């Protein structure tokens, strides 16, 4: 019989392993809806308002998305970022309400309702306006409900029970009230100016409703015969040549413009002479010779002879063939008082009038011929220059882009955005060619051109009677004090209103209080904090260069411009009593009140409706949204209250940021916000703009359905969102990995803290150095996190949090102290200290994570502190214990950590070669100036997770001869045989 050694005892049941039911697998997609339901039952948003009542308030005013369609990635990024900021402000102890809102009026919704009509072969114009508006309201209500649920699913906390909607009656009353403030203070006029117009949607468009695309347009060179040139009679009978990429404007031409300092020349072509800028001779002939002389051969400039000087005092050119024959040379100023004939002058009437030459500072020699044809109906420069000389628009092109039926040339034809209509073979070019005026035409000029972002169709500049808020009228008091009297006087008509009389009233104004809206707005920009700082330059340049604000639209679904215009004077009625009745009617019945039969009641007994035109235009939706601070911020938190922060995409410098700025500056003399944060756009994984045609759209709802909202929130917080950001599978995988690591950190702490209570707590002064060091590090991170939150830098915030969890905790502190947690006695001060610090860490980290990972933080909190009436989001920023010797301990352990990394790197080759299987089997020599005390050596061995540390000349590693403890697996000198217990484990097991 052979003796068999007794099997080694299994000590696993004596080790204090972490215990938790908190799952490693998140299962967020299934878990988050239940958390949302719990929050709804708690009334968490209202409860927070009660808890924070009286605290410093932080207002992030929500920019309204259109109530149209499911949310996209841009929506998700924007709303999550707002929610993170609001939750972080609440965490810092502030009362941080968030009122979500929607833009419910305007073209996007109207367009969708019209699409449904077109599908049924119906015309919107045949539908009663009240019915059409009711359908638009119902459409908006539908999508508000859909988007509301989608935003809530993102974890966005707010007053979802009472959001603001621009179509609510009180909102429409506030909007019209703001309009009437502009009217009463003299900051409103009706004039005919060229504005961007969509022939497809039949309405004016704001700059923010336009996008630019590269297209190929038709370019033409057209000859205008000069019939009078008093300062240069040699030019009479010659042809002034213009170049344009909008052939459809030639039928509306009224003048020609020259640069006063530009040098012009007269060149010969057979029996015709052409006037062009000297600097553009080469490009002119490059375009026109192939068209006029397709057969080649004889040089048309000299009838086959040599190019040379023609007449005394004229020079020979420098061309390859001897130059171009110059018949006359002079400055643009020589063209003053000259006139030309329209190419279609034979049609008589409008076309028979002489076309004057006008000096234009905007004329350059960058392209074309150096002469510009003027159509004041269809260009800003054209309009302003012609206005100076008494030339008014003629409104030849109607809202659908057709020439009006009575127009002598091409009447009833169009549309002017139809490519075939304006092509080189189209009717315009054909008629010009037959008239002998078309010198060249081709359909190949490539350039960027504005399109409606909704219909994707080209837009045009079109002069129509519109309502404007002037940017440079000195009648805008700051703050506003003027109040109109009666119907006002025409003496202060704003510029550019002819042929429509200005309806500006003449209010009483205090002397010297006449800052313009532009000046007030620029001052307000300078007084606002812009994040990032470069945004200030962008919006400043936009406001400096913007034209007057066109606020009217020729549509039906919106807040009407509720004005009465005197049929005789053309002035709008400015009576505070009438205005008050209008606002009250809107408050009771909404904007629909303007479309009812009660206009005489609104006017009251002092005026006869028969004397007044009822304005039918509606307000630009940017004016609507520009007023949201009035019926949301001021209405809920008090008159004069302004938001701490506006936050939207960078495109809103020309949109909501600017319309809100102008509205508030015009009515309050200041901006409606203290600070503005702009973020970039969400692009696909390759950095491309998302589009259905490319098939690269990343759907946030799909991500939520598959991975959960917290993954999306982690991605948003991790991006450098001040610039454009990428999202795709790889990007989301990175966010998921960061989330997983942080989740596992919480899971470890929950398990390690199982059963912890205050009786186990240890005072900081009684803790080992390592615990004090970690608390010191936590304090440093806490400061940085707060600074990042206050600066809205959540990329930095999230990186600080995850790096601390991964590097300071998981890879360092937890790694070192797992031996104490698993194997020390529950009463051991080191273990108790560790668990005390873990508790501090838990309370801090779960709070830090809550603004970003709102669902997971709630799950973590409830896992440790289950309570049907509590929430992690009620908590405030953690209060951390003070470490008196934190600086000294911090310096020491910073050096130890650096040395630990060196030791780990030295051990790694031995692990690869299997000389040691773990660092516990290694003995380490470190470079030290003196011998190590036993306690210090033991402390370092524990920190390095090795068997032994001794001083030496350099870092070296050898395999230890110590045997392995059967319980803690450490190699220690008191263990004589592998599997036996070390002194500590022997004592713990004996006392168990």
């Amino acid at each position: 019989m052979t003796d068999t050694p007794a099997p080694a005892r299994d000590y696993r049941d004596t080790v204090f392993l972490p215990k938790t039911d908190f799952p490693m697998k998140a299962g967020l997609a299934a878990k988050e809806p239940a958390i949302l339901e719990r929050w709804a039952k708690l009334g968490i948003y209202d409860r927070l308002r009660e808890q924070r009542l009286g605290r410093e308030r932080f207002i992030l005013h929500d920019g309204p998305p259109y109530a149209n369609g499911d949310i996209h990635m841009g929506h998700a990024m924007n709303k999550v970022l707002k929610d993170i900021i609001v939750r972080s402000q609440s965490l810092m102890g502030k009362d941080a309400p968030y009122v979500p809102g929607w833009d419910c009026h305007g073209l996007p919704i109207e367009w969708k309702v019209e699409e449904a009509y077109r599908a049924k072969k119906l015309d919107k114009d045949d539908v009663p306006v009240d019915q059409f508006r009711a359908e638009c309201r119902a459409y908006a209500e539908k999508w508000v409900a859909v988007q509301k649920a989608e935003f809530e699913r993102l974890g966005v906390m707010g007053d979802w029970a009472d959001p603001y909607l621009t179509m609510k009656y009180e909102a429409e009353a506030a909007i019209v009230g703001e309009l009437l403030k502009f009217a009463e203070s003299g900051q409103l006029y009706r004039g005919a100016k060229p504005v961007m117009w969509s022939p497809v949607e039949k309405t004016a468009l704001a700059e923010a409703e336009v996008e630019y695309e590269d297209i190929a347009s038709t370019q033409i060179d057209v000859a205008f015969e000069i019939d009078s040139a008093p300062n240069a009679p040699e030019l009479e009978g010659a042809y002034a040549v213009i170049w344009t990429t909008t052939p459809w404007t030639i039928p509306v031409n009224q003048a020609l413009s020259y640069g006063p300092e530009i040098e012009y020349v007269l060149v010969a072509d057979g029996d015709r002479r052409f006037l062009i800028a000297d600097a553009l001779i080469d490009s002119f002939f490059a375009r026109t010779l192939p068209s006029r002389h397709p057969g080649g051969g004889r040089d048309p400039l000299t009838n086959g002879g040599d190019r040379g000087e023609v007449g005394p005092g004229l020079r020979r050119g420098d061309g390859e063939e001897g130059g171009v024959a110059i018949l006359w040379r002079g400055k643009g100023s020589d063209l003053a008082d000259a006139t030309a004939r329209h190419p279609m002058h034979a049609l008589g009437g409008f076309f028979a009038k002489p076309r004057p030459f006008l000096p234009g500072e905007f004329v350059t020699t960058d392209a074309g011929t150096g002469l510009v044809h003027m159509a004041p109906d269809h260009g800003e420069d054209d309009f302003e220059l012609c206005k100076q000389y008494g030339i008014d628009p003629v409104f030849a092109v109607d809202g659908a882009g057709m020439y009006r039926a009575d127009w002598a040339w091409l009447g009833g034809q169009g549309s002017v955005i139809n490519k075939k209509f304006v092509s080189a073979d189209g009717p315009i070019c054909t008629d010009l060619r037959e008239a002998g005026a078309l010198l060249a035409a081709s359909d190949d000029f490539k350039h960027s051109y504005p399109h409606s972002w909704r219909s994707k169709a080209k837009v045009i500049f079109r002069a129509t009677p519109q309502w404007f808020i002037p940017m440079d009228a000195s009648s805008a008091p700051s703050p506003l004090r003027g109040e109109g009297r009666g119907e006002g006087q025409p003496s202060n008509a704003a510029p550019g209103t002819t042929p429509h009389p200005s309806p500006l009233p003449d209010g009483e104004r205090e002397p010297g209080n006449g800052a313009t809206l532009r000046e007030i707005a620029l001052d307000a920009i300078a007084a606002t904090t812009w994040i990032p700082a470069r945004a200030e330059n962008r919006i400043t340049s936009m406001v400096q260069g913007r034209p007057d604000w066109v606020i009217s639209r020729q549509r039906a679904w919106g807040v009407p411009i509720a004005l009465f215009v005197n049929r005789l004077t053309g002035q709008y009625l400015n009576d505070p009593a009438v205005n008050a009745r209008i606002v009250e009617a809107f408050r009771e019945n909404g904007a629909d009140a303007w479309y009812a039969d009660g206009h005489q009641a609104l006017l009251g007994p002092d005026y006869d409706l028969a004397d007044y035109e009822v304005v039918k235009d509606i307000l630009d939706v940017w004016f609507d949204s520009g007023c949201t601070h009035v019926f949301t911020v001021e209405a809920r938190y008090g008159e004069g209250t302004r938001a701490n922060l506006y936050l939207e995409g960078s495109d809103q410098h020309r949109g909501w940021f600017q319309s809100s700025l102008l509205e508030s500056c015009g009515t309050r003399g200041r901006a409606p916000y203290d600070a503005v944060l702009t973020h970039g756009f969400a692009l696909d994984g390759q950095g491309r703009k998302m589009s259905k045609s490319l098939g690269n759209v990343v759907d946030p709802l799909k991500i939520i359905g598959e991975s959960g909202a917290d993954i999306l929130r982690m991605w948003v917080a991790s991006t450098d969102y001040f610039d454009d950001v990428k999202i795709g599978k790889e990007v989301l995988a990175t966010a998921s990995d960061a989330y997983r690591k942080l989740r596992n950190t919480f899971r470890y702490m929950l398990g390690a803290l199982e059963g912890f209570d205050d009786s186990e707590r240890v005072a900081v002064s009684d803790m080992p150095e390592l615990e004090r060091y970690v608390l010191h590090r936590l304090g440093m991170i806490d400061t940085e996190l707060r600074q990042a939150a206050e600066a809205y830098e959540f990329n930095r915030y999230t990186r600080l949090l995850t790096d601390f969890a991964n590097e300071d905790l998981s890879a360092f502190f937890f790694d070192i102290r797992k031996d104490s947690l698993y194997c020390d006695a529950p009463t051991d001060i080191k273990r108790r200290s560790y668990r005390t610090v873990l508790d501090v860490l838990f309370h801090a980290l779960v709070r830090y994570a809550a603004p970003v990972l709102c669902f997971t933080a709630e799950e973590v909190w409830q896992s440790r502190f289950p309570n049907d009436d509590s929430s992690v989001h009620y908590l405030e920023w953690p209060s951390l214990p003070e470490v008196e010797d934190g600086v000294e301990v911090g310096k020491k352990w910073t050096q130890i950590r650096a040395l630990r990394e060196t030791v780990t790197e030295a051990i790694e080759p031995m692990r690869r070669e299997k000389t040691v299987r773990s660092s516990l089997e290694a003995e380490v020599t470190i470079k030290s100036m003196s011998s190590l005390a036993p306690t210090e050596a033991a402390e370092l061995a524990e920190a390095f997770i090795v068997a032994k540390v001794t001083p030496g000349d350099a870092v070296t590693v050898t395999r230890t001869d110590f045997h392995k403890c059967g319980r803690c697996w450490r190699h220690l000198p008191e263990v004589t045989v592998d599997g036996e217990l070390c002194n500590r484990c022997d004592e713990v097991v004996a006392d168990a």
Side-chain angles (χ1 to χ4, degrees):
M1 181 173 171
T2 304
D3 290 335
T4 302
R9 178 180 166 184
D10 187 344
Y11 290 103
R12 282 181 294 184
D13 59 343
T14 70
V15 175
F16 307 112
L17 295 174
K19 296 179 182 178
T20 180
D21 293 329
F22 187 79
M24 184 181 299
K25 184 176 175 61
L28 294 173
K31 201 172 293 179
E32 289 171 345
I35 296 175
L36 281 172
E37 186 177 347
R38 180 177 181 276
W39 287 342
K41 289 179 180 178
L42 276 176
I44 188 171
Y45 178 81
D46 293 332
R47 187 85 65 87
L48 263 174
R49 301 286 71 74
E50 295 170 5
Q51 293 179 4
R52 300 291 195 271
L53 187 64
R55 301 283 191 89
E56 178 187 351
R57 185 181 288 129
F58 177 89
I59 300 173
L60 189 159
H61 181 40
D62 188 34
Y66 279 118
N68 178 24
D70 290 307
I71 66 171
H72 53 65
M73 189 57 72
H75 289 129
M77 177 180 171
N78 176 264
K79 281 293 194 282
V80 166
L81 185 54
K82 289 175 180 174
D83 189 59
I84 290 173
I85 289 174
V86 169
R87 288 182 187 272
S88 67
Q89 292 292 323
S90 180
L91 181 64
M92 288 187 283
K94 297 178 185 177
D95 179 14
Y98 175 69
V99 181
W102 277 271
D103 216 336
C104 302
H105 295 133
L107 189 57
I109 292 167
E110 210 170 326
W111 186 252
K112 286 296 183 181
V113 174
E114 285 188 38
E115 279 184 348
Y117 282 171
R118 287 191 288 271
K120 298 176 183 177
K121 308 293 185 185
L122 296 176
D123 189 334
K124 164 232 175 182
D125 295 334
D126 296 334
V127 179
V129 67
D130 58 341
Q131 177 184 330
F132 181 76
R133 286 174 60 87
E135 291 187 50
C136 289
R137 182 176 290 275
Y139 181 90
E141 287 173 345
K142 167 194 167 184
W143 284 108
V144 165
V146 171
Q147 290 187 4
K148 173 179 173 290
E150 292 170 347
F151 287 140
E152 285 189 275
R153 182 61 187 85
L154 287 168
V156 179
M157 179 173 61
D159 193 357
W160 297 107
D162 186 23
Y164 78 79
L165 308 177
T166 58
M167 68 180 180
K168 282 184 176 180
Y169 288 180
E170 62 266 29
E172 292 180 331
I175 292 167
V176 80
E178 293 300 296
L179 168 72
L180 295 174
K181 286 181 182 179
F182 278 95
E184 289 179 8
S185 63
Q187 298 183 84
L188 193 62
Y189 72 91
R190 182 164 65 176
K193 281 187 175 182
V195 296
M196 279 191 284
W197 181 275
S198 170
V200 172
E201 289 129 328
K202 300 179 184 177
T203 188
L205 297 179
E207 178 69 26
E209 296 173 297
V210 171
E211 58 189 13
Y212 289 78
E213 295 181 12
D214 291 335
I215 63 169
S217 292
T218 301
Q219 58 176 332
I220 60 174
D221 288 81
V222 182
F224 285 69
E225 185 179 1
I226 302 171
D227 57 6
S228 173
N231 299 315
E234 306 95 316
L235 301 180
E236 294 178 5
Y239 292 85
V241 183
I242 66 90
W243 171 83
T244 182
T245 59
T246 54
W248 60 270
T249 59
I250 297 295
V252 202
N253 167 273
Q254 296 200 64
L256 303 177
S257 184
Y258 59 85
E261 297 303 317
I262 293 176
E263 190 169 83
Y264 292 91
V265 293
L266 190 68
V267 297
D269 179 5
D271 59 354
R272 303 178 82 185
R273 296 168 296 148
F274 297 120
L275 179 70
I276 55 176
D278 185 30
L280 295 168
I281 289 177
D282 290 344
S283 59
F284 167 70
F285 283 114
R287 287 194 308 274
T288 61
L289 280 177
S291 299
R292 292 179 290 113
H293 303 277
R298 296 164 59 87
D299 187 330
L301 298 184
T302 58
N303 288 315
D306 292 333
R307 296 184 183 185
E309 295 186 1
V310 183
L314 300 180
R315 71 160 172 79
R316 180 187 301 275
D318 298 323
E320 291 180 359
E321 298 180 38
V324 174
I326 305 299
L327 306 178
W328 174 89
R329 177 184 302 280
K331 289 283 189 182
S333 54
D334 294 332
L335 301 177
D337 300 323
T339 60
R341 295 200 301 178
H342 193 284
M344 304 301 290
H345 62 88
L347 294 174
F350 167 82
F351 296 96
K353 296 178 182 179
R355 267 49 181 175
F357 282 77
L358 306 176
E361 297 299 328
F362 52 83
V363 180
T364 70
T365 56
D366 294 340
T369 64
L371 294 168
V372 181
H373 100 88
M374 296 283 98
D377 285 75
H378 302 296
E380 291 182 88
D381 291 333
D382 308 46
F383 176 85
E384 295 296 338
L385 181 60
C386 288
K387 180 181 69 175
Q388 295 177 32
Y389 292 88
I391 301 173
D392 298 328
V394 293
F395 312 107
V397 177
D398 68 16
M402 312 288 286
Y403 295 106
R404 68 181 199 232
D406 64 344
W407 201 242
W409 183 22
L410 303 168
Q413 297 186 49
S415 163
V416 298
I417 63 171
N418 182 292
K419 193 167 185 177
K420 290 183 178 180
F421 184 73
V422 299
S423 72
D425 296 323
I428 298 172
C429 289
T430 297
D431 288 351
L432 289 172
R433 191 176 290 113
E434 291 177 356
L438 187 67
L439 305 182
S442 62
D443 300 323
D444 57 359
F445 184 74
K446 295 180 179 179
H447 62 141
S448 181
Y449 192 88
H451 293 67
S452 165
W453 72 273
R454 177 58 47 186
S455 67
K456 308 304 180 185
K458 292 198 298 185
V459 302
I460 62 174
F461 271 95
R462 175 175 178 257
T464 58
Q466 301 287 347
W467 290 91
F468 295 86
I469 292 173
M471 292 298 297
D472 299 306
S474 61
S475 60
S478 174
L480 297 172
R481 298 192 184 114
E483 181 171 303
R485 295 289 185 268
E487 296 177 2
Q489 304 296 324
S491 60
N492 65 338
T497 61
T498 55
H500 303 276
S502 168
L504 277 172
D506 187 15
E508 294 181 1
R509 301 178 181 89
E510 295 185 13
N513 190 32
T516 69
L517 180 56
R518 192 186 309 276
E519 291 167 343
I520 298 169
L522 290 172
D523 286 346
I525 290 171
T528 299
T529 300
W530 298 90
I531 309 165
R534 63 178 181 269
E536 181 175 353
N537 291 334
R538 185 176 185 192
I539 193 167
T540 296
S541 64
M542 288 179 173
V543 172
Q544 284 174 335
R546 70 157 295 141
D548 288 352
W549 185 6
V550 54
I551 61 167
S552 52
R553 295 292 183 269
Q554 291 64 50
R555 305 295 295 184
W557 177 231
V559 176
I561 295 178
L563 295 172
F564 296 100
V565 176
N566 189 291
R567 295 184 186 277
L568 292 178
T569 66
Q571 299 170 55
Y572 64 74
L573 177 64
N574 190 1
D575 186 324
V578 173
N579 292 346
R581 285 193 288 271
I582 291 171
V583 172
E584 186 57 33
F586 277 43
R587 187 172 288 112
E588 291 182 5
N589 300 298
D592 291 341
W594 194 248
Y595 298 92
D597 297 327
H599 291 104
Q600 183 61 64
L602 294 176
L603 283 169
D606 296 334
Y607 306 98
D608 186 350
L609 180 60
D611 296 334
Y612 290 90
E613 168 201 350
V614 178
V615 176
K616 296 297 185 183
D617 290 350
I618 65 168
L619 283 164
D620 170 20
V621 291
W622 291 108
F623 189 92
D624 281 19
S625 60
C627 296
T628 57
H629 67 99
V630 179
F631 55 83
T632 305
V633 178
E634 291 190 356
R636 298 191 189 217
Y637 309 114
E639 187 175 352
T641 303
R642 60 175 148 188
N644 298 84
L645 184 67
Y646 274 35
L647 186 162
E648 299 299 331
S650 55
D651 57 332
Q652 295 308 310
H653 289 112
R654 64 174 184 167
W656 188 56
F657 296 153
Q658 193 173 147
S659 66
S660 299
L661 173 74
L662 297 180
E663 199 290 322
S664 184
C665 286
T667 56
R668 288 151 178 79
R670 58 159 176 81
Y673 37 65
D674 292 329
V676 175
L677 186 154
T678 56
H679 61 76
F681 295 103
L683 309 175
D684 73 3
Q686 299 178 39
R688 300 174 302 173
K689 181 180 178 181
M690 295 185 199
S691 70
K692 292 180 180 179
S693 61
L694 290 176
N696 65 338
V697 174
V698 181
D699 184 359
L701 300 176
K702 183 178 180 182
I703 294 172
I704 294 170
E706 294 176 353
S707 304
D710 267 359
I711 299 300
L712 198 59
R713 295 173 69 94
M714 189 76 175
W715 164 73
V716 171
S718 301
T719 62
D720 185 7
Y721 44 76
F722 297 129
D723 295 310
D724 292 345
V725 297
K726 298 178 182 179
I727 183 168
K729 288 184 178 180
E730 292 183 4
V731 176
L732 284 172
T734 300
S736 296
D737 187 56
Y739 170 85
R740 177 184 56 79
K741 291 177 180 178
L742 193 56
R743 182 181 181 88
N744 284 342
T745 298
F746 282 119
R747 184 172 184 271
Y748 171 82
M749 287 193 293
L750 285 168
L753 285 167
E754 193 268 334
F756 179 85
D757 60 34
D758 284 345
S759 64
E760 193 177 334
R761 201 173 298 280
V762 176
V764 174
S765 59
D766 295 330
M767 291 179 181
E769 268 191 359
L770 177 56
E771 276 64 28
R772 302 204 306 277
Y773 166 71
V774 171
L775 289 177
H776 172 68
R777 281 289 297 148
L778 177 62
M780 294 174 63
I781 295 296
D782 180 89
T783 299
E784 291 188 65
L785 285 169
R786 187 157 194 137
Q787 290 172 348
E790 289 171 343
Y792 315 122
E793 295 177 1
F794 287 93
N795 171 278
R796 180 160 67 100
Y797 183 98
T798 305
R799 188 171 62 253
L800 283 166
L801 179 58
T802 55
D803 286 354
F804 180 69
N806 296 336
E807 297 171 14
D808 291 81
L809 300 184
S810 296
F812 178 68
F813 187 45
F814 296 171
D815 192 34
I816 294 171
R817 282 292 187 248
K818 64 178 180 287
D819 173 74
S820 178
L821 177 70
Y822 298 171
C823 300
D824 281 350
T827 57
D828 186 272
I829 189 146
K830 185 196 298 181
R831 188 176 192 274
R832 288 172 52 215
S833 297
Y834 178 53
R835 298 237 295 171
T836 300
V837 172
L838 284 179
D839 182 66
V840 174
L841 287 167
F842 177 87
H843 280 277
L845 265 63
V846 75
R847 286 166 166 83
Y848 300 150
V852 178
L853 305 178
C854 62
F855 293 104
T856 301
E858 188 71 277
E859 181 190 3
V860 169
W861 183 257
Q862 291 298 321
S863 182
R864 186 175 180 200
F865 302 112
N867 187 321
D868 292 340
D869 201 41
S870 73
S871 171
V872 70
H873 300 292
Y874 295 157
L875 305 177
E876 295 185 27
W877 198 270
S879 178
L880 302 179
E882 184 179 352
V883 183
E884 291 184 1
D885 61 346
V887 175
E888 294 176 10
V889 170
K891 289 180 179 178
K892 175 181 176 180
W893 278 86
T894 298
Q895 294 175 343
I896 291 176
R897 286 186 69 172
L899 187 55
R900 184 177 189 263
E901 290 183 11
T902 303
V903 168
T904 301
E905 291 175 2
I907 293 173
E908 188 56 32
M910 297 183 69
R911 291 171 61 102
R912 287 198 301 267
E913 296 166 4
K914 297 188 173 23
T915 304
V916 298
R917 289 169 293 180
S918 76
S919 63
L920 289 169
E921 298 177 353
E923 288 188 10
V924 178
T925 298
I926 62 171
K927 187 175 182 180
S928 176
M929 298 296 292
S930 61
S931 61
L932 295 172
T935 54
E936 189 176 10
E939 186 179 64
L940 290 177
E942 188 175 39
F944 300 161
I945 314 180
V946 297
K948 183 181 178 181
V949 175
T950 56
D953 296 328
V955 174
T956 60
V957 180
T958 58
R959 180 179 172 83
T960 185
D961 293 329
F962 296 156
H963 290 282
K964 179 181 178 181
C965 173
R967 180 170 177 267
C968 68
W969 296 0
R970 292 183 65 186
H971 291 251
L972 296 165
E974 67 263 30
V975 181
T976 57
V977 177
D978 284 351
E980 290 187 355
L981 298 183
C982 65
N983 294 339
R984 176 208 35 192
C985 289
D986 189 45
E987 185 177 338
V988 172
V989 171
D991 291 343

